[in-house]
Amino acid sequence: MTDLGTPARGVATGTGDRSRPRAALPALCATQIVSWGIVYYAFPVLNPQITAATGWPAGATTAAFSLGLVVSALAGIRVGRILDRSGPRTVMTTGSVLGVVSLLIVAAAPNVPVFFAGWALAGLAMAATFYQPAFAALTHWWAPDHVRALTIVTLAGGLASTVFAPLTAALADHLSWRHTYLVLAIILALVTIPAHALALRAPWPEAPTSPAHTAAEAVDVSRSRPFLLLAAAFTLSAFTMYAVVVALVPLLLERGYTTSQAAWALGIGGAGQTLGRTLYAALARRTAATARTTILVALGALATAAFAAAPGPYALLIAVSVMAGMVRGNLTLLQATAITDRWGTAHYGRLSGLLAAPAHTAAALAPFAGAALAVPLGGYGPLFLLLAAVSVAAALIAPWTGTDAVRRRPGRRPRSH
């Protein structure tokens, strides 16, 4: 496994006489907050106003948003290949422009089909501006100290809802949802387009190599048993995680808690997520990639089962929510480092796109699937038990995701994990 705590000279940029792009990390912190906050988190705040003002069914508007998430998952595969070849500057700058255009289409949409088209375009923007390209940039420029950089940018990204959910609500109190999206589109343009265009201009490095991480052909890795099992484990885990986030409030309302109590229980999970991300580097230094994957996915199953089994007291539910948030925060960084820890950085963009696509698709579908399953199961308590079982299945798969099981060609040096 890569020594995560000891940077190597010259490895960040592929040469010994070039330094890391100093502006890239603060710029990506800012753009992750703004991009996630506007393109993703503004919609849940505005959707009630959208349906009330237009008369469009809530199911239709939510489906349009989910379409964007699915498009993002699928487009991420192609985006990853482009990142490997040319780096993040063009990808993320173009994505920012697409994000602005997509919000303008959404804001002006006269009917549901155009609304869907706007969110489909937003999906392309998400694929080109959210965590995947940012992670690729930091993994190449900051390796082998990339975990610290990834942690910083995800901590910043975690503030997106904290900043933009109340800001969006405040704008919506004084403006229509259409004008609110126009204001947000202007903010998105002013912050993200110049930041991506100006701060990501450093030369794109050659991928570093070491005895522990010999470069492998991307096609070999993507067809290997560990990679496929890793994708399966992350997909099952993502389905559970996002279904739990959306279903937690209905679960607590079903048990007699107030809307305010349920909202606080959900919100405190965000604080746990931030806390969890600060602990990931220490966990990474002390565990191998396979063990780390198994531990975190199993803890996710435990937290989900605890929600199902514990009707109260309220303080206990808050503690479980913090635990679940800590697991979610760690899982974000686990997925960001999974490729590097097992196969190095040679094809990080392409492999991370392939790895993320099914997980992101599952995350997009999870809210609908969870709500649909709660009815035949007899409530949200049984739903959480089912979701815990799904996470247990992911945890059982995780021990088989190590690279020591990869079938190699004769003469290829084994890779450590």
Side-chain angles (χ1 to χ4, degrees):
M1 187 172 65
T2 301
D3 182 357
L4 300 172
T6 307
R9 290 187 62 187
V11 81
T13 60
T15 66
D17 59 351
R18 295 174 183 169
S19 61
R20 293 164 178 166
R22 295 180 179 179
L25 184 55
L28 289 173
C29 287
T31 60
Q32 289 303 299
I33 293 174
V34 175
S35 296
W36 277 96
I38 291 176
V39 183
Y40 187 92
Y41 285 109
F43 175 78
V45 177
L46 292 176
N47 194 38
Q49 189 179 115
I50 294 172
T51 57
T54 61
W56 300 338
T61 56
T62 305
F65 181 69
S66 291
L67 172 65
L69 299 178
V70 173
V71 169
S72 175
L74 299 177
I77 298 173
R78 180 61 180 170
V79 167
R81 296 178 181 179
I82 298 173
L83 287 166
D84 283 337
R85 290 198 307 267
S86 59
R89 185 190 182 200
T90 300
V91 169
M92 299 193 78
T93 305
T94 302
S96 294
V97 174
L98 291 178
V100 173
V101 174
S102 69
L103 292 185
L104 294 177
I105 293 173
V106 167
N111 50 48
V112 171
V114 176
F115 193 77
F116 266 76
W119 280 110
L121 185 62
L124 297 178
M126 294 179 202
T129 58
F130 279 10
Y131 280 144
Q132 182 187 335
F135 287 166
L138 296 175
T139 297
H140 278 275
W141 277 325
W142 263 258
D145 196 30
H146 55 284
V147 171
R148 179 161 49 190
L150 294 173
T151 301
I152 291 171
V153 83
T154 54
L155 287 173
L159 298 174
S161 61
T162 305
V163 173
F164 279 94
L167 175 60
T168 302
L171 289 172
D173 285 340
H174 299 89
L175 303 171
S176 70
W177 70 270
R178 296 183 187 275
H179 288 105
T180 297
Y181 262 131
L182 288 176
V183 172
L184 293 175
I186 292 171
I187 296 173
L188 186 69
L190 292 177
V191 175
T192 65
I193 295 175
H196 289 150
L198 299 176
L200 304 179
R201 294 184 296 175
W204 191 234
E206 294 292 333
T209 60
S210 71
H213 289 281
T214 304
E217 292 294 332
V219 65
D220 292 343
V221 173
S222 64
R223 294 174 181 175
S224 68
R225 182 181 178 186
F227 185 90
L228 296 175
L229 291 177
L230 185 64
F234 281 166
T235 298
L236 294 174
S237 179
F239 180 86
T240 296
M241 181 170 66
Y242 283 91
V244 165
V245 167
V246 175
L248 181 58
V249 169
L251 173 73
L252 297 186
L253 293 177
E254 186 177 81
R255 290 176 172 175
Y257 293 98
T258 67
T259 301
S260 177
Q261 287 175 316
W264 272 106
L266 177 62
I268 204 70
Q273 187 168 300
T274 300
L275 175 62
R277 287 170 177 168
T278 66
L279 304 175
Y280 183 80
L283 177 65
R285 285 193 296 268
R286 290 168 173 79
T287 57
T290 305
R292 188 159 62 251
T293 303
T294 305
I295 290 168
L296 290 174
V297 174
L299 286 174
L302 179 62
T304 304
F307 277 127
Y314 184 67
L316 176 60
L317 293 173
I318 291 293
V320 174
S321 183
V322 171
M323 174 186 170
M326 291 177 67
V327 174
R328 290 199 305 273
N330 275 278
L331 284 171
T332 300
L333 288 168
L334 178 72
Q335 294 179 26
T337 57
I339 297 299
T340 308
D341 288 342
R342 290 168 172 81
W343 297 285
T345 62
H347 303 285
Y348 180 89
R350 178 176 181 178
L351 292 176
S352 64
L354 290 170
L355 185 66
H360 289 172
T361 302
L365 299 177
F368 289 100
L373 289 170
V375 176
L377 289 173
Y380 282 91
L383 172 65
F384 271 65
L385 285 175
L386 175 62
L387 294 173
V390 173
S391 275
V392 168
L396 293 175
I397 294 172
W400 302 95
T401 62
T403 57
D404 53 349
V406 180
R407 181 177 297 174
R408 303 177 184 89
R409 295 172 183 168
R412 179 176 292 176
R413 180 178 295 180
R415 292 183 293 276
S416 168
H417 67 281

